[in-house]
Amino acid sequence: MKKTSTRLADGRELLYYDSRNDLVRDAVDPRPLDPVSTASEVRRDPLLGDAVAIASHRQARTYHPPADECPLCPSRNGRHSEIPADDYDVAVFENRFPSLAGASGRCEVVCFTSDHDASFADLDEAQAALVLEAWTDRTAELCELPQVEQVFCFENRGAEIGVTLGHPHGQIYGYPFTTPRTALMLRSLAEHKERTGRNLFDDVVAGELADGARVVLEGEYWAAFVPYAAHWPYEVHLYPKKRVPDLRALGEDARTEFPQMYLELLRRFDRIFGPDEPPTPYIAAWHQAPVRGVGAVHRGEFALHLELFTIRRTSGKLKFLAGSESGMGVFINDVPPETAAERLREVASE
């Protein structure tokens, strides 16, 4: 992998990740951009103890542009985008409309491919491996920023999810706090350790593999299963079999096997509802251990894993977060996890 760092016209950092070492990335951004101006702040909820990012400047962000005006495509034929080069493998840049900025953290955009009409599932294993390298490198870089406490790599796919740019891309957030979801995991982790003396993540993975009813895929170094208490209609958790706290700690064998496992999961997701359905909307979320602050106390016990889920519950119908979910945080799942796992195993041969 070759990494090249440069700057956009307004000073934001842009990085190219290339599979070839002989590529030169010297294209200049000629756009007359004003400096980025953000109004991001993090406020604490005194009742719940969690954090809310207030970012009013995001109201002006790019919203469903036509394909020939996509800001994530390469710059070609006289049209200049966020990426000055006329082609790229993987590109990462600071978000012009960040939810978190400055002392409140950092937000980056990850473009998985220059092909506007592709999706992550369309990548070959070499390209998916390059994206993994980019995620890992950005995790390492952001973890060094003193204001960042936890790094979150994720992808939103599909208009139903709320995606405003159709180009295949994801994002990376560097949070200045430990996220509420991670804090809950860490609390359960500590309670399980005190009660049993064992690691909760290890017990969950071992239990799912022993039971087998919810296992979707199992490789030599990774395991994918629908969790026992899945929140979403179709939800899969992907764990490296050797527990590590974050992407930086993955071994080479796990890195090599990951593209095959992950691409197969994504392709099965697109087949859940049959060939006549549009591509399945999903969120793919990497859970990594915090690097500083109170959340880092149990860092060595945390298990890196990816959670992949869709809000589509059946053909033509979405799972909406209504009263119980949004008002009280109690999910109601219409699809039994065992049924979801069975369907995800069935579509392997379709």
Side-chain angles (χ1 to χ4, degrees):
M1 180 194 76
K2 181 181 180 182
K3 172 185 172 184
T4 305
S5 177
T6 184
R7 294 281 171 180
L8 295 172
D10 54 11
R12 287 175 294 134
E13 187 176 19
L14 165 68
L15 301 113
Y16 296 100
Y17 294 87
D18 290 302
S19 56
R20 288 171 44 190
N21 289 325
D22 61 338
L23 289 175
V24 177
R25 298 297 188 183
D26 57 3
V28 176
D29 181 8
R31 297 174 298 170
L33 298 180
D34 294 327
V36 173
S37 177
T38 65
S40 178
E41 64 172 311
V42 174
R43 297 185 181 182
R44 293 280 177 177
D45 185 321
L47 297 181
L48 299 180
D50 59 6
V52 177
I54 309 297
S56 59
H57 63 279
R58 285 177 53 80
Q59 289 280 32
R61 67 187 184 275
T62 308
Y63 187 80
H64 291 301
D68 60 356
E69 296 179 16
C70 174
L72 307 185
C73 286
S75 294
R76 294 173 180 166
N77 303 320
R79 190 186 74 84
H80 301 289
S81 71
E82 290 281 64
I83 303 166
D86 62 3
D87 197 13
Y88 63 85
D89 289 343
V90 176
V92 179
F93 59 87
E94 289 183 76
N95 198 326
R96 184 165 175 80
F97 303 97
S99 303
L100 306 163
S104 296
R106 177 160 163 143
C107 293
E108 299 181 342
V109 177
V110 184
C111 299
F112 303 138
T113 171
S114 61
D115 184 353
H116 180 86
D117 297 318
S119 69
F120 202 118
D122 295 323
L123 304 182
D124 61 27
E125 291 185 16
Q127 184 76 2
L130 186 60
V131 175
L132 176 62
E133 288 300 311
W135 280 332
T136 304
D137 181 75
R138 299 317 303 147
T139 295
E141 292 274 343
L142 296 185
C143 283
E144 294 301 316
L145 299 179
Q147 71 269 33
V148 170
E149 199 165 299
Q150 185 177 12
V151 176
F152 177 45
C153 307
F154 64 101
E155 179 191 2
N156 299 326
R157 202 279 282 270
E160 299 95 327
I161 295 293
V163 174
T164 57
L165 298 176
H167 195 102
H169 72 288
Q171 299 181 64
I172 304 176
Y173 280 15
Y175 291 108
F177 49 79
T178 295
T179 62
R181 189 171 177 85
T182 302
L184 287 174
M185 291 184 193
L186 292 173
R187 186 181 71 185
S188 297
L189 180 69
E191 291 173 352
H192 187 81
K193 184 76 169 183
E194 183 177 356
R195 186 171 65 252
T196 68
R198 300 190 305 270
N199 181 276
L200 175 58
F201 290 107
D202 293 349
D203 283 359
V204 166
V205 174
E208 291 291 354
L209 292 178
D211 180 279
R214 290 173 296 277
V215 174
V216 176
L217 277 175
E218 183 179 0
E220 188 174 355
Y221 302 99
W222 293 85
F225 54 85
V226 178
Y228 173 75
H231 289 59
W232 299 95
Y234 290 89
E235 176 181 344
V236 176
H237 294 189
L238 178 62
Y239 279 80
K241 288 186 174 179
K242 179 181 178 183
R243 174 167 46 87
V244 294
D246 59 29
L247 288 166
R248 298 175 297 175
L250 274 178
E252 286 306 311
D253 290 332
R255 291 185 181 280
T256 300
E257 188 179 74
F258 171 78
Q260 174 189 350
M261 294 283 290
Y262 187 47
L263 290 172
E264 176 63 20
L265 281 178
L266 292 179
R267 290 162 186 167
R268 291 192 191 190
F269 256 57
D270 274 343
R271 295 196 293 266
I272 292 173
F273 304 104
D276 297 328
E277 282 289 310
T280 302
Y282 66 75
I283 293 174
W286 280 109
H287 291 263
Q288 305 194 81
V291 292
R292 54 180 59 87
V294 295
V297 173
H298 301 290
R299 176 176 168 76
E301 297 287 303
F302 194 86
L304 167 76
H305 63 284
L306 183 143
E307 298 185 6
L308 173 68
F309 58 91
T310 180
I311 62 171
R312 186 177 290 163
R313 57 187 175 87
T314 190
S315 180
K317 297 179 181 178
L318 300 180
K319 165 65 179 176
F320 292 102
L321 299 189
S324 186
E325 293 90 352
S326 296
M328 296 303 289
V330 179
F331 274 68
I332 300 169
N333 191 351
D334 300 323
V335 181
E338 293 75 17
T339 301
E342 182 179 10
R343 178 58 183 158
L344 284 162
R345 290 193 297 265
E346 287 175 350
V347 296
S349 58
E350 292 184 0

